[in-house]
Amino acid sequence: MKELERHECCEGEVRFLTFPSQALGLPTKLGLFLPKAALEGKKVPVVYALAGLTCTQETFLIKANAVRYAAEHGLALVTPDTSPRGAQVAAEDEAYDLGTGAGFYVDATAQPWAAHYRMWSYVGQELPGVLEAAFPLDGERCGIMGHSMGGMGALAFGLRNPRKWKTVSAFAPICAPARVPWGQKVTETYFGGDEAQWRHYDPCLLLTEGYRTAGKILVDQGLKDEFLPILCPDLLEQAAREAGQPLELRRHKLYDHSYWFVQSFIASQILHHARGLTSQPGG
Amino acid sequence: MKELERHECCEGEVRFLTFPSQALGLPTKLGLFLPKAALEGKKVPVVYALAGLTCTQETFLIKANAVRYAAEHGLALVTPDTSPRGAQVAAEDEAYDLGTGAGFYVDATAQPWAAHYRMWSYVGQELPGVLEAAFPLDGERCGIMGHSMGGMGALAFGLRNPRKWKTVSAFAPICAPARVPWGQKVTETYFGGDEAQWRHYDPCLLLTEGYRTAGKILVDQGLKDEFLPILCPDLLEQAAREAGQPLELRRHKLYDHSYWFVQSFIASQILHHARGLTSQPGG
């Protein structure tokens, strides 16, 4: 694990790191905020924040205005990249919604993508192990959140592995990827046409198949979001209701899909994780 | 005034605008945050935030985490670009600290720069007039702040025109530009070698020449700032002391020059402006 940058911020430290990921078969970068207590060696709860299409490990830390709230509640933040970089797959850099910057937090099953496009294994398994070995992050108190494509990932990780991800939230998540153009592109390329792969990753399908998380899922969604018709929050709400999965979907009349929206509600999403990860038993 | 972007944020709106600046002789872009009260047509106090070398009209709004505090206190924010763009001066894009992104908030006196590099006139005179005619911004309640090169600009505007700029603050400002390499480059190019031009812009020289602002100037400075030796905060402190200018210079042991530092102390700098611009007389 090599450190690329380190900055004092809100009495903690923002760091950018790189290491050779086995899951991705490539070096990858990530951002990490360690609150003051972690710098003093205390194990702290941690929230993974997954960014959306075209973003990098820097985007969420720079644009979401989350650091001060993480600092206030003593939470660490982890911000992975959104895809492998430099996999040398032809067409990797041709579209904003496929390849570089668009890993969709899935494990590709079709070649040539399957060799490196394994963000599910990287974020869900390898990365927590690597980080918990290197930093005072409490592997028993992990939350996950994300924006757009990253919101989809956060919901999927949370539903598939509720023992690891105790708290879950999302901003404007892609709720039913299997049904929308972004997901159809993923099906054709990463999955070689095998639609059934989506049963591992599509939040609505996961709910229908019986996956649950114990806590309430918190989702914020702007109603002026330019992608609203293909984000499908109504389908998520319906699937959660039918599945008995507690979900608070907050609709915000005037907000769009940008980080200007994310930063407007970040305080209460961070609070959602802080309450779930730091409260006493029963609290 | 043409609108390029508009985003709801913290119950107000972030807008990016462009208009043909007469002072610059070119179209220029700026950012504007209007708090809720302004959207309802009420005249609000406004803080101009000047960014540093290599930055644009977007940088401060994205990276400083200032919007939520401006919203909370009912302040508008204005973020000008840091130089003219497209002046077609040879060598304009060769260095990070001269030309594009490096207007230094001065009026160049030497050709070919003098035709367009007139950020002093643009930010100090033209822009407030244009904005106060177009938006419910209270021209009698204006504050100014900035980072690095922009901190220098904020101090210079505040000292030269205290009737306009009622409150003044800066993050890691260039305090004595006439004495450091950045400023010497400006002397050679924008001023054609005429060092005396700095008497209009150098915060330390302005204090020595008798310029004052009524309120206390607030400055935050990190002591791990990689530019500390050429920012010269000690000289500012000395000049202010000798001039009887109230100055609070807060030194922060572990912080560097980045916006990770800026965001760590933005809440109290915005509060400084809010108190100065919104309090009752004597408050």
Side-chain angles (χ1 to χ4, degrees):
Chain A
M1 178 96 27
K2 191 182 148 200
E3 189 172 299
L4 304 170
E5 285 184 47
R6 179 189 291 211
H7 306 278
E8 185 83 3
C9 189
C10 297
E11 301 192 310
E13 285 180 7
V14 168
R15 300 184 190 177
F16 291 98
L17 308 161
T18 185
F19 77 101
S21 162
Q22 294 199 345
L24 301 177
L26 284 167
T28 189
K29 294 180 185 171
L30 63 132
L32 173 66
F33 171 70
L34 293 173
K36 195 175 179 205
L39 299 178
E40 293 163 351
K42 289 175 200 131
K43 265 200 184 179
V44 296
V46 53
V47 178
Y48 285 58
L50 310 183
L53 290 165
T54 77
C55 293
T56 72
Q57 72 284 352
E58 290 188 326
T59 313
F60 183 90
L61 279 176
I62 291 175
K63 294 188 169 180
N65 290 14
V67 172
R68 71 176 52 254
Y69 299 107
E72 194 178 297
H73 297 294
L75 302 175
L77 295 173
V78 172
T79 56
D81 203 350
T82 55
S83 74
R85 306 265 163 186
Q88 298 189 289
V89 175
E92 183 175 47
D93 297 324
E94 282 176 9
Y96 85 101
D97 58 355
L98 201 83
T100 303
F104 277 87
Y105 306 101
V106 303
D107 282 352
T109 53
Q111 294 301 351
W113 304 92
H116 299 293
Y117 278 75
R118 296 172 48 76
M119 291 297 287
W120 182 263
S121 295
Y122 164 61
V123 171
Q125 314 217 336
E126 182 183 22
L127 186 57
V130 167
L131 290 177
E132 286 156 27
F135 301 100
L137 305 178
D138 188 344
E140 301 294 316
R141 290 186 292 160
C142 296
I144 195 157
M145 69 194 300
H147 173 231
S148 194
M149 173 183 79
M152 182 204 94
L155 295 173
F157 284 116
L159 289 168
R160 284 274 297 280
N161 195 354
R163 289 190 187 183
K164 179 67 186 173
W165 308 109
K166 304 286 200 301
T167 50
V168 183
S169 73
F171 291 97
I174 302 175
C175 298
R179 307 197 200 183
V180 303
W182 289 317
Q184 285 151 15
K185 223 162 158 178
V186 168
T187 306
E188 286 161 28
T189 50
Y190 296 164
F191 301 152
D194 180 5
E195 281 180 25
Q197 286 295 325
W198 277 115
R199 72 186 186 279
H200 304 305
Y201 310 111
D202 179 305
C204 286
L205 292 179
L206 288 169
L207 283 165
T208 303
E209 290 202 15
Y211 289 97
R212 301 282 181 278
T213 180
K216 180 183 75 177
I217 297 172
L218 177 61
V219 173
D220 285 290
Q221 176 62 58
L223 297 186
K224 277 203 176 171
D225 188 320
E226 54 274 39
F227 297 110
L228 188 56
I230 51 175
L231 294 170
C232 309
D234 298 347
L235 294 181
L236 182 73
E237 201 171 40
Q238 187 189 331
R241 196 186 313 118
E242 291 171 6
Q245 168 65 52
L247 166 74
E248 183 178 356
L249 172 56
R250 304 190 295 196
R251 295 176 171 86
H252 306 283
K253 210 163 56 170
L254 299 170
Y255 289 82
D256 63 23
H257 196 67
S258 68
Y259 273 90
W260 303 109
F261 154 65
V262 172
Q263 74 166 254
S264 300
F265 302 99
I266 192 71
S268 64
Q269 285 218 9
I270 293 287
L271 182 63
H272 169 77
H273 291 278
R275 282 187 176 147
L277 299 175
T278 65
S279 62
Q280 279 86 10
Chain B
M1 178 96 26
K2 192 182 147 199
E3 190 173 297
L4 304 170
E5 286 183 48
R6 180 190 291 211
H7 306 278
E8 186 83 4
C9 188
C10 297
E11 300 193 310
E13 285 180 7
V14 168
R15 300 185 190 177
F16 291 98
L17 308 162
T18 185
F19 77 101
S21 162
Q22 293 201 345
L24 301 176
L26 285 166
T28 188
K29 293 179 185 173
L30 62 132
L32 173 66
F33 171 70
L34 293 173
K36 196 175 179 204
L39 299 179
E40 292 164 352
K42 288 174 201 134
K43 264 199 183 180
V44 296
V46 53
V47 178
Y48 285 59
L50 309 183
L53 290 164
T54 75
C55 294
T56 73
Q57 71 284 350
E58 291 188 324
T59 313
F60 183 90
L61 279 176
I62 291 176
K63 295 189 170 181
N65 291 13
V67 172
R68 71 175 52 255
Y69 299 107
E72 195 177 296
H73 297 293
L75 302 175
L77 295 172
V78 172
T79 57
D81 202 349
T82 56
S83 73
R85 305 264 162 185
Q88 299 189 290
V89 174
E92 184 176 45
D93 298 323
E94 284 177 10
Y96 83 100
D97 58 355
L98 201 83
T100 302
F104 277 88
Y105 306 100
V106 303
D107 282 353
T109 53
Q111 292 302 348
W113 305 92
H116 299 293
Y117 279 75
R118 297 173 47 78
M119 292 297 287
W120 182 263
S121 295
Y122 164 60
V123 171
Q125 312 216 338
E126 183 184 21
L127 186 56
V130 167
L131 290 176
E132 286 156 27
F135 300 100
L137 305 177
D138 188 344
E140 300 294 316
R141 291 186 292 161
C142 296
I144 194 158
M145 68 194 300
H147 173 231
S148 195
M149 172 183 80
M152 181 203 96
L155 296 173
F157 284 116
L159 289 168
R160 282 275 296 282
N161 195 354
R163 290 192 185 180
K164 179 67 186 173
W165 309 108
K166 303 288 200 302
T167 51
V168 184
S169 73
F171 291 97
I174 303 175
C175 298
R179 306 196 200 184
V180 303
W182 288 317
Q184 285 151 15
K185 225 163 155 178
V186 168
T187 306
E188 285 160 28
T189 49
Y190 296 163
F191 301 153
D194 180 7
E195 282 180 26
Q197 285 296 324
W198 277 114
R199 72 185 187 279
H200 305 306
Y201 311 110
D202 179 304
C204 287
L205 292 180
L206 289 169
L207 283 165
T208 304
E209 290 201 15
Y211 290 95
R212 302 283 181 280
T213 180
K216 180 182 75 176
I217 296 171
L218 177 60
V219 173
D220 285 292
Q221 176 62 56
L223 296 185
K224 276 203 176 172
D225 188 318
E226 55 274 36
F227 298 110
L228 189 55
I230 51 176
L231 293 170
C232 309
D234 299 347
L235 295 182
L236 183 73
E237 201 171 41
Q238 187 188 330
R241 197 187 312 117
E242 291 173 4
Q245 169 65 53
L247 166 73
E248 183 178 357
L249 173 56
R250 304 191 294 195
R251 294 177 172 84
H252 305 284
K253 209 163 57 173
L254 299 171
Y255 289 82
D256 64 22
H257 196 67
S258 68
Y259 272 90
W260 304 108
F261 153 65
V262 172
Q263 74 167 254
S264 300
F265 302 100
I266 192 71
S268 64
Q269 283 218 11
I270 293 287
L271 182 62
H272 169 76
H273 291 277
R275 282 185 176 148
L277 299 175
T278 64
S279 63
Q280 279 87 7

